[in-house]
PDB file of all heavy atoms in Angstrom:
ATOM      1  N   TYR A 167     125.980 123.848 112.075  1.00 98.00           N
ATOM      2  CA  TYR A 167     127.019 124.604 111.378  1.00 98.00           C
ATOM      3  C   TYR A 167     126.555 126.037 111.159  1.00 98.00           C
ATOM      4  O   TYR A 167     125.367 126.341 111.228  1.00 98.00           O
ATOM      5  CB  TYR A 167     127.395 123.944 110.041  1.00 98.00           C
ATOM      6  CG  TYR A 167     126.275 123.836 109.028  1.00 98.00           C
ATOM      7  CD1 TYR A 167     126.089 124.821 108.056  1.00 98.00           C
ATOM      8  CD2 TYR A 167     125.407 122.745 109.034  1.00 98.00           C
ATOM      9  CE1 TYR A 167     125.082 124.725 107.120  1.00 98.00           C
ATOM     10  CE2 TYR A 167     124.389 122.647 108.103  1.00 98.00           C
ATOM     11  CZ  TYR A 167     124.236 123.636 107.150  1.00 98.00           C
ATOM     12  OH  TYR A 167     123.223 123.530 106.226  1.00 98.00           O
ATOM     13  N   ASN A 168     127.508 126.902 110.956  1.00 98.00           N
ATOM     14  CA  ASN A 168     127.203 128.288 110.613  1.00 98.00           C
ATOM     15  C   ASN A 168     127.288 128.443 109.104  1.00 98.00           C
ATOM     16  O   ASN A 168     128.058 127.746 108.445  1.00 98.00           O
ATOM     17  CB  ASN A 168     128.183 129.247 111.291  1.00 98.00           C
ATOM     18  CG  ASN A 168     127.990 129.274 112.794  1.00 98.00           C
ATOM     19  OD1 ASN A 168     126.896 129.015 113.287  1.00 98.00           O
ATOM     20  ND2 ASN A 168     129.046 129.571 113.517  1.00 98.00           N
ATOM     21  N   TRP A 169     126.516 129.365 108.571  1.00 98.00           N
ATOM     22  CA  TRP A 169     126.499 129.566 107.130  1.00 98.00           C
ATOM     23  C   TRP A 169     126.401 131.057 106.806  1.00 98.00           C
ATOM     24  O   TRP A 169     125.914 131.853 107.617  1.00 98.00           O
ATOM     25  CB  TRP A 169     125.327 128.814 106.478  1.00 98.00           C
ATOM     26  CG  TRP A 169     123.986 129.228 107.024  1.00 98.00           C
ATOM     27  CD1 TRP A 169     123.345 128.704 108.120  1.00 98.00           C
ATOM     28  CD2 TRP A 169     123.161 130.288 106.544  1.00 98.00           C
ATOM     29  NE1 TRP A 169     122.171 129.367 108.332  1.00 98.00           N
ATOM     30  CE2 TRP A 169     122.029 130.350 107.385  1.00 98.00           C
ATOM     31  CE3 TRP A 169     123.261 131.191 105.487  1.00 98.00           C
ATOM     32  CZ2 TRP A 169     121.005 131.275 107.188  1.00 98.00           C
ATOM     33  CZ3 TRP A 169     122.239 132.101 105.309  1.00 98.00           C
ATOM     34  CH2 TRP A 169     121.129 132.137 106.139  1.00 98.00           C
ATOM     35  N   GLN A 170     126.882 131.394 105.637  1.00 98.00           N
ATOM     36  CA  GLN A 170     126.740 132.747 105.107  1.00 98.00           C
ATOM     37  C   GLN A 170     126.529 132.616 103.609  1.00 98.00           C
ATOM     38  O   GLN A 170     127.174 131.801 102.953  1.00 98.00           O
ATOM     39  CB  GLN A 170     128.000 133.577 105.373  1.00 98.00           C
ATOM     40  CG  GLN A 170     127.907 134.971 104.803  1.00 98.00           C
ATOM     41  CD  GLN A 170     129.173 135.773 105.023  1.00 98.00           C
ATOM     42  OE1 GLN A 170     130.226 135.216 105.297  1.00 98.00           O
ATOM     43  NE2 GLN A 170     129.073 137.069 104.896  1.00 98.00           N
ATOM     44  N   THR A 171     125.610 133.414 103.088  1.00 96.00           N
ATOM     45  CA  THR A 171     125.352 133.406 101.655  1.00 96.00           C
ATOM     46  C   THR A 171     125.409 134.832 101.129  1.00 96.00           C
ATOM     47  O   THR A 171     124.782 135.729 101.685  1.00 96.00           O
ATOM     48  CB  THR A 171     123.965 132.811 101.340  1.00 96.00           C
ATOM     49  OG1 THR A 171     123.877 131.501 101.906  1.00 96.00           O
ATOM     50  CG2 THR A 171     123.725 132.733  99.844  1.00 96.00           C
ATOM     51  N   LEU A 172     126.167 135.014 100.070  1.00 96.00           N
ATOM     52  CA  LEU A 172     126.176 136.276  99.343  1.00 96.00           C
ATOM     53  C   LEU A 172     125.290 136.082  98.122  1.00 96.00           C
ATOM     54  O   LEU A 172     125.411 135.084  97.406  1.00 96.00           O
ATOM     55  CB  LEU A 172     127.595 136.650  98.918  1.00 96.00           C
ATOM     56  CG  LEU A 172     128.585 136.847 100.066  1.00 96.00           C
ATOM     57  CD1 LEU A 172     129.982 137.107  99.517  1.00 96.00           C
ATOM     58  CD2 LEU A 172     128.145 137.984 100.971  1.00 96.00           C
ATOM     59  N   SER A 173     124.381 137.038  97.896  1.00 93.00           N
ATOM     60  CA  SER A 173     123.426 136.934  96.806  1.00 93.00           C
ATOM     61  C   SER A 173     123.492 138.204  95.963  1.00 93.00           C
ATOM     62  O   SER A 173     123.386 139.311  96.493  1.00 93.00           O
ATOM     63  CB  SER A 173     122.023 136.751  97.391  1.00 93.00           C
ATOM     64  OG  SER A 173     121.064 136.749  96.363  1.00 93.00           O
ATOM     65  N   GLN A 174     123.652 138.029  94.662  1.00 92.00           N
ATOM     66  CA  GLN A 174     123.760 139.153  93.728  1.00 92.00           C
ATOM     67  C   GLN A 174     122.548 139.168  92.810  1.00 92.00           C
ATOM     68  O   GLN A 174     122.240 138.173  92.148  1.00 92.00           O
ATOM     69  CB  GLN A 174     125.038 139.015  92.893  1.00 92.00           C
ATOM     70  CG  GLN A 174     125.177 140.021  91.778  1.00 92.00           C
ATOM     71  CD  GLN A 174     125.471 141.431  92.272  1.00 92.00           C
ATOM     72  OE1 GLN A 174     125.950 141.612  93.364  1.00 92.00           O
ATOM     73  NE2 GLN A 174     125.150 142.427  91.471  1.00 92.00           N
ATOM     74  N   ARG A 175     121.841 140.296  92.803  1.00 87.00           N
ATOM     75  CA  ARG A 175     120.668 140.443  91.929  1.00 87.00           C
ATOM     76  C   ARG A 175     120.402 141.928  91.748  1.00 87.00           C
ATOM     77  O   ARG A 175     120.494 142.684  92.708  1.00 87.00           O
ATOM     78  CB  ARG A 175     119.471 139.758  92.560  1.00 87.00           C
ATOM     79  CG  ARG A 175     118.242 139.739  91.717  1.00 87.00           C
ATOM     80  CD  ARG A 175     117.166 138.936  92.404  1.00 87.00           C
ATOM     81  NE  ARG A 175     115.959 138.981  91.619  1.00 87.00           N
ATOM     82  CZ  ARG A 175     114.755 138.782  92.100  1.00 87.00           C
ATOM     83  NH1 ARG A 175     114.590 138.511  93.367  1.00 87.00           N
ATOM     84  NH2 ARG A 175     113.706 138.842  91.329  1.00 87.00           N
ATOM     85  N   TYR A 176     120.062 142.337  90.555  1.00 87.00           N
ATOM     86  CA  TYR A 176     119.780 143.742  90.235  1.00 87.00           C
ATOM     87  C   TYR A 176     120.904 144.659  90.694  1.00 87.00           C
ATOM     88  O   TYR A 176     120.676 145.696  91.315  1.00 87.00           O
ATOM     89  CB  TYR A 176     118.463 144.192  90.866  1.00 87.00           C
ATOM     90  CG  TYR A 176     117.249 143.481  90.345  1.00 87.00           C
ATOM     91  CD1 TYR A 176     116.350 142.895  91.213  1.00 87.00           C
ATOM     92  CD2 TYR A 176     117.000 143.391  88.979  1.00 87.00           C
ATOM     93  CE1 TYR A 176     115.224 142.241  90.752  1.00 87.00           C
ATOM     94  CE2 TYR A 176     115.882 142.737  88.501  1.00 87.00           C
ATOM     95  CZ  TYR A 176     114.995 142.163  89.392  1.00 87.00           C
ATOM     96  OH  TYR A 176     113.881 141.513  88.927  1.00 87.00           O
ATOM     97  N   ASN A 177     122.134 144.282  90.419  1.00 89.00           N
ATOM     98  CA  ASN A 177     123.317 145.084  90.745  1.00 89.00           C
ATOM     99  C   ASN A 177     123.462 145.384  92.232  1.00 89.00           C
ATOM    100  O   ASN A 177     124.020 146.404  92.608  1.00 89.00           O
ATOM    101  CB  ASN A 177     123.322 146.391  89.951  1.00 89.00           C
ATOM    102  CG  ASN A 177     123.419 146.144  88.467  1.00 89.00           C
ATOM    103  OD1 ASN A 177     124.148 145.248  88.030  1.00 89.00           O
ATOM    104  ND2 ASN A 177     122.682 146.913  87.680  1.00 89.00           N
ATOM    105  N   ALA A 178     122.940 144.528  93.065  1.00 89.00           N
ATOM    106  CA  ALA A 178     123.080 144.689  94.509  1.00 89.00           C
ATOM    107  C   ALA A 178     123.455 143.344  95.128  1.00 89.00           C
ATOM    108  O   ALA A 178     122.972 142.295  94.699  1.00 89.00           O
ATOM    109  CB  ALA A 178     121.782 145.190  95.118  1.00 89.00           C
ATOM    110  N   THR A 179     124.311 143.406  96.134  1.00 92.00           N
ATOM    111  CA  THR A 179     124.716 142.200  96.855  1.00 92.00           C
ATOM    112  C   THR A 179     124.098 142.228  98.244  1.00 92.00           C
ATOM    113  O   THR A 179     124.176 143.227  98.946  1.00 92.00           O
ATOM    114  CB  THR A 179     126.248 142.109  96.968  1.00 92.00           C
ATOM    115  OG1 THR A 179     126.805 142.114  95.663  1.00 92.00           O
ATOM    116  CG2 THR A 179     126.667 140.843  97.709  1.00 92.00           C
ATOM    117  N   THR A 180     123.469 141.130  98.615  1.00 92.00           N
ATOM    118  CA  THR A 180     122.851 140.979  99.927  1.00 92.00           C
ATOM    119  C   THR A 180     123.525 139.832 100.651  1.00 92.00           C
ATOM    120  O   THR A 180     123.860 138.820 100.041  1.00 92.00           O
ATOM    121  CB  THR A 180     121.341 140.675  99.778  1.00 92.00           C
ATOM    122  OG1 THR A 180     120.745 141.698  98.970  1.00 92.00           O
ATOM    123  CG2 THR A 180     120.660 140.648 101.131  1.00 92.00           C
ATOM    124  N   THR A 181     123.721 140.010 101.936  1.00 94.00           N
ATOM    125  CA  THR A 181     124.321 138.964 102.763  1.00 94.00           C
ATOM    126  C   THR A 181     123.273 138.386 103.700  1.00 94.00           C
ATOM    127  O   THR A 181     122.526 139.136 104.335  1.00 94.00           O
ATOM    128  CB  THR A 181     125.477 139.536 103.608  1.00 94.00           C
ATOM    129  OG1 THR A 181     126.451 140.090 102.746  1.00 94.00           O
ATOM    130  CG2 THR A 181     126.116 138.442 104.466  1.00 94.00           C
ATOM    131  N   PHE A 182     123.230 137.086 103.772  1.00 95.00           N
ATOM    132  CA  PHE A 182     122.389 136.367 104.723  1.00 95.00           C
ATOM    133  C   PHE A 182     123.320 135.484 105.551  1.00 95.00           C
ATOM    134  O   PHE A 182     124.280 134.925 105.011  1.00 95.00           O
ATOM    135  CB  PHE A 182     121.362 135.477 104.007  1.00 95.00           C
ATOM    136  CG  PHE A 182     120.466 136.230 103.067  1.00 95.00           C
ATOM    137  CD1 PHE A 182     120.764 136.314 101.718  1.00 95.00           C
ATOM    138  CD2 PHE A 182     119.330 136.873 103.537  1.00 95.00           C
ATOM    139  CE1 PHE A 182     119.948 137.012 100.849  1.00 95.00           C
ATOM    140  CE2 PHE A 182     118.502 137.571 102.676  1.00 95.00           C
ATOM    141  CZ  PHE A 182     118.814 137.646 101.328  1.00 95.00           C
TER     142      PHE A 182
END
Side-chain angles (χ1 to χ4, degrees):
Y167 61 94
N168 292 333
W169 58 272
Q170 178 182 18
T171 304
L172 299 176
S173 176
Q174 173 71 22
R175 185 175 177 203
Y176 296 128
N177 296 321
T179 302
T180 306
T181 301
F182 303 95

